[in-house]
Amino acid sequence: MKTTLLSVLCLFILGWGSMQTALAQDLQEMEKSLSAINEELNQKTKEYSWQLVSVYADYCEANNKYISWNDVPYLQEIVEYNRPASLENYRLEHKVCKDALDKFLNTYKEYRELKKRQTEAVSKEEKDAVSAAFSAFWKKLRSEDNAYKELYYAERKTVCKYRSEALRYMIEQYKKDNKAVPTSMIKYSDRSYLLQKGSALELLDKEVNALESVQRELVRKITRAKYGLTEAKEE
């Protein structure tokens, strides 16, 4: 009897050891898969950011859309401080148009006074008052037969071109460092427009989302395997 019980116990221990070994091997394989997924996702995420911002630069240039650098300090650094030689022609073109517009605007006494009030405004009420006064001034200016519109659109076109080129320059710098480009300057509506159905960018976006989904599932399975948790049953 004792011999029989001892034999059963030995078989149970051997079986449990084999099961534990199998579980350890499964866990090891899942962790290897997760590592590969993480690496691929990291690279695809960078490629997606490069392509998205590149398409955005093309879109802004084609539509004379102003690129804000509020969320991307490096873009401001390129435009206002670094001033790469490759962008110098674009900067000078914009400067010529901006100077022409400023010269025209300064022929208006009202404009000069508003600019002075703008620099002196401290409180919110003062700033709001100047903003309202400027809105009225711009409306009046646009209604008159003058050179404002032509000068304004020329300045707008060159600044949009300059910033689009600066954005492309920034992308190349991030590529050299093998880093993802910040995409926070792109509004949700613009991002949705750029991810048009069937575009290469949309396909890459779906690929990134699929990898993220696989990553989450692997992390969930590894966590359950490590702590011996069972799958929750659906009711």
Side-chain angles (χ1 to χ4, degrees):
M1 185 68 175
K2 287 182 179 180
T3 303
T4 304
L5 287 174
L6 184 60
S7 299
V8 171
L9 182 59
C10 288
L11 288 172
F12 176 78
I13 292 172
L14 289 172
W16 175 256
S18 299
M19 184 172 66
Q20 289 295 93
T21 301
L23 287 173
Q25 289 175 344
D26 288 344
L27 182 59
Q28 189 177 30
E29 287 300 315
M30 284 192 291
E31 288 178 335
K32 283 174 62 179
S33 296
L34 180 60
S35 178
I37 290 292
N38 287 342
E39 185 176 344
E40 185 175 1
L41 177 58
N42 181 46
Q43 186 59 34
K44 289 292 182 182
T45 300
K46 286 184 285 191
E47 291 175 7
Y48 172 72
S49 75
W50 299 336
Q51 287 193 33
L52 174 62
V53 178
S54 179
V55 170
Y56 180 65
D58 294 342
Y59 166 70
C60 290
E61 182 181 347
N63 294 277
N64 290 332
K65 187 176 177 62
Y66 189 77
I67 299 173
S68 173
W69 54 45
N70 291 337
D71 297 322
V72 193
Y74 183 45
L75 182 60
Q76 182 179 15
E77 184 181 327
I78 291 170
V79 173
E80 292 199 336
Y81 306 108
N82 290 355
R83 296 183 179 178
S86 60
L87 302 177
E88 186 63 11
N89 286 340
Y90 304 109
R91 186 186 73 81
L92 292 176
E93 286 176 9
H94 172 241
K95 185 178 184 304
V96 169
C97 292
K98 185 177 184 302
D99 288 347
L101 178 60
D102 288 342
K103 183 178 179 180
F104 169 79
L105 290 173
N106 277 293
T107 62
Y108 288 82
K109 181 181 178 182
E110 183 180 356
Y111 175 78
R112 297 195 304 271
E113 290 176 346
L114 284 173
K115 290 294 288 185
K116 186 173 183 295
R117 284 176 57 190
Q118 188 178 53
T119 58
E120 295 174 348
V122 177
S123 67
K124 183 179 183 302
E125 291 75 15
E126 290 173 330
K127 292 178 180 179
D128 288 345
V130 174
S131 178
F134 255 125
S135 294
F137 173 74
W138 297 130
K139 184 177 181 180
K140 176 185 174 183
L141 201 60
R142 286 192 294 268
S143 67
E144 296 176 352
D145 183 15
N146 55 46
Y148 172 69
K149 289 181 181 178
E150 182 180 347
L151 292 169
Y152 169 79
Y153 286 117
E155 190 275 338
R156 179 82 178 188
K157 184 176 182 179
T158 53
V159 73
C160 290
K161 173 66 176 176
Y162 181 28
R163 292 206 176 189
S164 294
E165 290 294 340
L167 198 55
R168 294 185 185 103
Y169 177 90
M170 188 180 82
I171 295 169
E172 293 306 312
Q173 301 310 303
Y174 274 89
K175 281 185 177 180
K176 287 178 182 178
D177 295 334
N178 198 30
K179 294 180 180 178
V181 182
T183 61
S184 52
M185 87 289 282
I186 306 175
K187 293 182 179 178
Y188 178 79
S189 57
D190 291 330
R191 189 183 297 250
S192 298
Y193 174 77
L194 296 173
L195 291 171
Q196 293 185 24
K197 188 175 182 180
S199 70
L201 185 61
E202 186 200 32
L203 295 176
L204 184 55
D205 179 56
K206 287 182 177 180
E207 191 173 352
V208 169
N209 289 334
L211 286 169
E212 288 176 340
S213 179
V214 173
Q215 181 193 56
R216 287 192 297 270
E217 181 64 17
L218 273 173
V219 169
R220 185 183 67 80
K221 287 185 175 182
I222 288 171
T223 301
R224 289 186 175 280
K226 279 184 175 180
Y227 296 100
L229 302 174
T230 56
E231 295 285 348
K233 295 181 179 179
E234 296 183 2
E235 294 183 0

